[in-house]
Amino acid sequence: MIRGLVVLSLVVLAACSNDGPPLVASDVVVRQPMPGMQMTAGYLVLQNNSDEDIAIDRVASPQFGKVEMQETVIEDRIAKMSALAEIVVLAGSAVEFQPGGKHLMLMRPGDNLDPVTLEFYSGGAIVLTVSVSAGN
C-alpha cells in the first residue's frame, strides 16, 4: 500500500506545556474510493505529547460531505461498524486508526480528492493535508 504523505505542517490551535505540539498525526493514509463507491476509509496514528488527555469530538473534510470516526466491532462473528462520538487520546499515549479497528469513514466524496484536508476538533484543532493513496 502507498502511504499518504503529509504535505502541510500540522497546525495546532491549542495551548501546550512542552516545546512541541500537543497532538501529532503520523502514518496518515486516505484510500482512493473504489469506482462507483460513495465512501472510503482513512487511517492514522494520533500521538498526545501533552500532560493532559485530549478528546477529539469531530472530524471534517471539505472534500467529503461527511466524515465519521468509527470502530469495527465483532458481534456474533459478524463485523459491524459503529460511529464514535469522541476519541480520547490519553496523556503521553497514542490512538491508532487502522483497518479492523478505529478508522475514519469518509462519505460522499467530491471531484478533487488530492490532496485531502482532515480537520480534527476538540478544544482546538489539528489540520492535516494528505495525498490520497491507491491500494488496499
Side-chain angles (χ1 to χ4, degrees), residues 7 11 13 30 32 44 46-48 51 60 64 68 73 83 87 93 96-98 123 126:
V7 294
V11 178
L13 303 175
V30 174
Q32 180 71 34
L44 67 148
L46 290 173
Q47 175 69 45
N48 181 349
D51 296 331
F64 289 88
E68 287 184 359
V73 293
I87 298 286
S93 68
E96 249 185 278
F97 289 73
Q98 61 188 0
I126 179 174

Side-chain angles (χ1 to χ4, degrees), residues 59 66-70 82-84 103-107:
V59 182
K66 185 176 183 182
V67 180
E68 287 184 359
M69 295 181 291
Q70 294 188 353
S82 61
L84 300 169
H103 59 278
L104 299 179
M105 186 58 61
L106 301 111
M107 297 168 264

Side-chain angles (χ1 to χ4, degrees), residues 30-43:
V30 174
R31 290 185 177 164
Q32 180 71 34
M34 299 288 287
M37 296 298 290
Q38 290 297 304
M39 65 182 66
T40 191
Y43 309 106

Side-chain angles (χ1 to χ4, degrees), residues 6 8-14 21-25 117-121 124-129:
V6 176
L8 286 184
S9 298
L10 302 179
V11 178
V12 180
L13 303 175
L23 190 63
V24 175
T117 301
L118 299 172
E119 301 167 352
F120 295 84
Y121 296 91
I126 179 174
V127 179
L128 315 172
T129 301

Side-chain angles (χ1 to χ4, degrees), residues 4-8 28-30 113-118 128-132:
L5 302 174
V6 176
V7 294
L8 286 184
V28 183
V29 174
V30 174
L113 295 184
D114 201 20
V116 169
T117 301
L118 299 172
L128 315 172
T129 301
V130 299
S131 293
V132 173

